[in-house]
């Protein structure tokens, strides 16, 4: 068990670096002029830098122009914040879930191809349409009736973000690290609270109606839980840092994609493994955190670390998964494009 814990801690450190990698690449492209020798390469290879009338010598100038152009379309900073945040959140969420719905609802060759990636293989195949549309209604309610008024209420705390300076590389990396730490702390303890006897029965039980989750379950929650466990952990870091609103939207986009991935029920190639949070939905009483640091600290992942699913909890880069249907690790697998991943990404934005 001690060896498993040491391996988990090493993987958690690696996960943090991996988590930062994708937004880091985007930040470098945005601020390529700051890095000598990188700017020329970026602007020769970046499609964005050579796109239509936005063509410029630097990605940063293009992003700045796009943001300022958007501000001209909506000069009122309140509504720019409210509707820009809503459009970012709503569009990213439903674009990803539309693809997943086609896979989940289908019975043809296209859907059958993806069954080999399914975590709980025998469940929701095919998906019950009535249950799916019930989920859609609650999610849309949370995204509109709950989120839009809450964004109006929260605007005074984000007012400085609308016209803040786009952060340089050092500031962006620092803020991103703060976002991740704030999210881990607020989500873990908020999630543990939701599993208390009184809170679970009144609020959190709705989310756990899906013992085998699908993508839209990321926001399938009681409205109060949606505010405290989905939105607040994502908001608190940018609110503390006073981050530029465009940078905040990048953070939200990344968060939405990862939380859908951890609820989708599929362990896709190249993607972070969803098995930790899927295990939480299956067993209920373990794996409460986002990154998993506090689960390891508080010992709320002991059974998970000894489970069969944990052995296949890895990021891999091959079309054929390194695990058998149902999650058992294939014999002889473990190298060749497989990276152990104990990322417990269960944030729901």
């Amino acid at each position: 068990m001690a060896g498993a814990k040491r391996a988990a801690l090493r993987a958690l450190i690696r996960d943090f670096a991996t988590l930062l990698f994708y937004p880091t690449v985007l930040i470098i492209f945005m601020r390529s002029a700051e890095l000598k020798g990188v700017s020329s390469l970026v602007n020769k290879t970046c499609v964005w830098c050579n796109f239509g009338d936005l063509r410029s010598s630097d990605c940063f100038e293009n992003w700045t122009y796009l943001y300022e152009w958007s501000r001209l379309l909506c000069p009122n900073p309140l509504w720019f914040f409210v509707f820009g945040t809503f459009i970012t959140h709503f569009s990213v969420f439903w674009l990803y879930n539309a693809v997943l719905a086609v896979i989940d609802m289908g019975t043809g060759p296209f859907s059958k191809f993806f069954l080999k990636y399914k975590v709980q293989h025998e469940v929701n195949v095919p998906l019950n349409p009535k249950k799916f549309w019930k989920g859609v209604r609650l999610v849309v309610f949370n995204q509109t009736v709950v989120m839009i008024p809450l964004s109006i209420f929260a605007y005074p705390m984000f007012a400085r973000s609308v016209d803040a300076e786009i952060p340089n590389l050092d500031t962006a990396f620092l803020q991103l690290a703060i976002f991740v730490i704030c999210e881990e702390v607020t989500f873990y303890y908020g999630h543990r609270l939701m599993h208390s006897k009184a809170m679970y029965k009144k609020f959190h039980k709705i989310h756990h109606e899906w013992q085998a989750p699908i993508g839209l379950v990321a926001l399938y929650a009681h409205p109060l839980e949606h505010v405290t466990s989905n939105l607040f952990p994502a908001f608190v870091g940018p609110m503390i840092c006073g981050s530029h609103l465009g940078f905040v939207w990048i953070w939200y986009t990344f968060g939405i994609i990862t939380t859908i991935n951890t609820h989708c029920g599929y362990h896709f190639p190249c993607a972070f493994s969803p098995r930790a949070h899927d295990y939480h939905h299956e067993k209920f009483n373990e794996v409460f955190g986002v990154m998993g640091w506090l689960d390891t600290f508080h010992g709320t992942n002991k059974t998970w670390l000894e489970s069969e699913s944990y052995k296949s909890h890895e990021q891999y880069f091959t079309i054929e998964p390194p695990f058998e249907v149902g999650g058992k690790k294939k014999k002889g697998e473990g190298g060749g494009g497989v990276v152990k991943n104990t990322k417990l990404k269960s944030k729901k934005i």
Side-chain angles (χ1 to χ4, degrees):
M1 184 63 188
K5 274 200 168 185
R6 285 194 296 270
L9 285 170
R10 287 195 299 269
L12 287 172
I13 294 171
R14 184 170 62 246
D15 268 349
F16 183 72
T18 305
L19 178 68
L20 294 178
F21 173 76
Y22 300 103
T24 295
V25 171
L26 183 57
I27 293 167
I28 289 174
F29 267 66
M30 289 175 63
R31 299 305 300 257
S32 58
E34 296 179 29
L35 301 177
K36 294 181 179 179
V38 174
S39 179
S40 177
L41 174 64
V42 167
N43 288 285
K44 287 179 181 178
T45 58
C46 178
V47 175
W48 176 244
C49 287
N50 298 279
F51 180 73
D53 294 336
L54 293 179
R55 187 181 179 113
S56 172
S57 59
D58 194 306
C59 265
F60 172 69
E61 293 181 20
N62 288 334
W63 284 105
T64 303
Y65 175 82
L66 179 63
Y67 186 82
E68 291 175 350
W69 176 78
S70 301
R71 284 287 285 119
L72 291 175
L73 291 179
C74 186
N76 185 299
L78 167 62
W79 298 120
F80 182 72
F81 167 76
V82 171
F83 290 114
T85 302
F86 170 77
I87 291 169
T88 301
H89 190 285
F90 193 88
S91 59
V92 173
F93 184 89
W94 287 112
L95 281 172
Y96 192 177
N97 272 294
V99 176
L100 292 172
V102 172
I103 298 173
D104 286 330
M105 291 285 198
T107 56
F110 177 75
S111 294
K112 289 180 179 179
F113 172 81
F114 290 97
L115 287 179
K116 60 186 174 185
Y117 303 121
K118 195 158 179 61
V119 178
Q120 298 187 47
H121 183 67
E122 300 296 330
V123 189
N124 295 329
V125 182
L127 185 62
N128 184 327
K130 185 176 180 180
K131 190 176 182 181
F132 174 80
W133 288 111
K134 177 188 175 185
V136 170
R137 289 193 294 272
L138 180 55
V139 170
V140 172
F141 179 88
N142 282 336
Q143 289 181 312
T144 54
V145 178
V146 175
M147 185 174 172
I148 292 177
L150 183 66
S151 297
I152 296 173
F153 174 78
Y155 170 72
M157 293 175 278
F158 285 90
R160 59 178 176 161
S161 297
V162 175
D163 294 310
E165 182 181 354
I166 296 179
N168 58 30
L169 286 171
D170 293 341
T171 303
F173 294 151
L174 176 62
Q175 289 184 359
L176 193 60
I178 292 173
F179 295 171
V180 173
I181 293 169
C182 288
E183 180 191 51
E184 169 73 358
V185 172
T186 54
F187 182 78
Y188 178 85
Y189 292 111
H191 195 186
R192 286 289 299 272
L193 180 63
M194 281 293 169
H195 275 266
S196 64
K197 188 174 181 179
M199 299 294 282
Y200 182 86
K201 186 175 181 179
K202 291 182 179 179
F203 304 109
H204 195 49
K205 188 176 180 179
I206 293 175
H207 184 68
H208 276 281
E209 289 176 6
W210 293 81
Q211 196 166 348
I214 62 173
L216 67 80
V217 177
L219 297 185
Y220 182 78
H222 186 283
L224 179 63
E225 182 185 357
H226 180 57
V227 173
T228 58
S229 295
N230 295 350
L231 299 178
F232 180 71
F235 281 179
V236 64
M239 185 172 61
I240 291 172
C241 294
S243 306
H244 185 278
L245 187 56
F247 189 56
V248 175
W249 288 343
I250 293 172
W251 163 246
Y252 290 166
T253 298
F254 181 70
I256 292 164
I257 291 171
T258 53
T259 193
I260 293 171
N261 184 66
T262 55
H263 285 88
C264 73
Y266 294 92
H267 190 170
F268 292 123
C270 305
F272 290 125
S273 168
R275 292 180 178 277
H277 195 60
D278 201 281
Y279 186 87
H280 172 75
H281 273 263
E282 187 178 1
K283 304 297 183 182
F284 295 101
N285 58 358
E286 279 215 345
V287 193
F288 298 99
V290 177
M291 293 297 296
W293 303 331
L294 291 175
D295 279 300
T296 299
F297 179 77
H298 289 289
T300 50
N301 58 2
K302 292 179 180 178
T303 305
W304 156 244
L305 293 176
E306 296 177 341
S307 70
E308 194 68 40
S309 185
Y310 174 74
K311 296 175 183 178
S312 299
H313 185 54
E314 51 197 27
Q315 189 177 17
Y316 65 97
F317 302 92
T318 57
I319 297 298
E320 290 299 318
F323 47 83
E324 298 172 359
V325 171
K328 188 175 181 180
K329 191 173 180 63
K330 291 179 180 177
K331 292 182 179 180
E333 297 286 354
V338 178
V339 179
K340 189 69 183 175
N341 176 21
T342 55
K343 179 179 175 53
L344 310 182
K345 190 70 183 174
S346 58
K347 177 185 66 110
K348 308 184 292 299
I349 290 184

